Amino acid sequence: MEKYVKFIQSMSGRHNVWRLWNDFVEMLACAIQMPFRENLSASRLDRYQKLFNSYTNDEMNKFDKLTDMIVDDMEKSTECDIFGEIYMSLRLYSKQNGQYFTPYYVSKLMSKMVFATKHESPTIIYEPTCGSGVNLIAYANELKRNGINYQTEA
């Protein structure tokens, strides 16, 4: 995670680390959604454009590089919560506001326990804390380990 912390901190200057990370995640979510939505809401598109315009070309190129780094690491292993780990490594959380990080290994253990006791199709997972989705990631991986395609069979 240190490489991400250093990279994001190297981008700070005009924008603080919190804003960089928050804007990066929001723009990435919008960019991922765009090709799959025929009727992408105008407000979502406007928000993306507003964020995009608040950064220089050089800063946007660095966001592209950051995306590449994250995708490369996610392709190496899905057995992690890379966004949650980066967020925590950047120390952007607030324990005063009840923001706590569930380590992946804890979510993995919980997923194994839930899968072993009850698995039905369709699977309904309630994730009341859903910060970075680590429990959903862990359960999807548990389904995969058990030969279940979570996209079509769960």
Side-chain angles (χ1 to χ4, degrees), residues 78-90:
T78 60
E79 295 287 327
C80 66
D81 171 21
I82 199 160
F83 285 94
E85 290 180 23
I86 293 170
Y87 180 81
M88 294 303 286
S89 295
L90 289 168

Side-chain angles (χ1 to χ4, degrees), residues 45-86:
L45 196 53
D46 289 345
R47 177 69 181 149
Y48 177 84
Q49 198 63 49
K50 181 180 178 183
L51 290 171
F52 184 91
N53 290 336
S54 69
Y55 290 93
T56 65
N57 286 339
D58 184 52
E59 290 167 331
M60 289 305 298
N61 288 335
K62 289 180 180 177
F63 278 145
D64 287 344
K65 171 68 176 158
L66 180 58
T67 302
D68 290 345
M69 291 166 59
I70 290 171
V71 169
D72 285 346
D73 283 346
M74 289 175 76
E75 287 178 344
K76 290 175 189 166
S77 174
T78 60
E79 295 287 327
C80 66
D81 171 21
I82 199 160
F83 285 94
E85 290 180 23
I86 293 170

Side-chain angles (χ1 to χ4, degrees), residues 3-35:
K3 71 180 178 182
Y4 294 109
V5 170
K6 286 181 181 179
F7 189 85
I8 294 167
Q9 287 175 340
S10 76
M11 291 178 65
S12 65
R14 282 185 351 109
H15 307 287
N16 65 38
V17 171
W18 167 256
R19 179 162 180 214
L20 287 167
W21 178 249
N22 192 54
D23 290 351
F24 168 74
V25 171
E26 189 174 355
M27 283 191 290
L28 186 59
C30 289
I32 290 169
Q33 181 185 22
M34 283 181 198

Side-chain angles (χ1 to χ4, degrees), residues 106-121:
V106 172
S107 294
K108 184 177 180 178
L109 175 64
M110 291 189 310
S111 293
K112 285 178 178 279
M113 292 167 56
V114 168
F115 185 86
T117 59
K118 183 178 183 183
H119 172 70
E120 298 174 356
S121 188

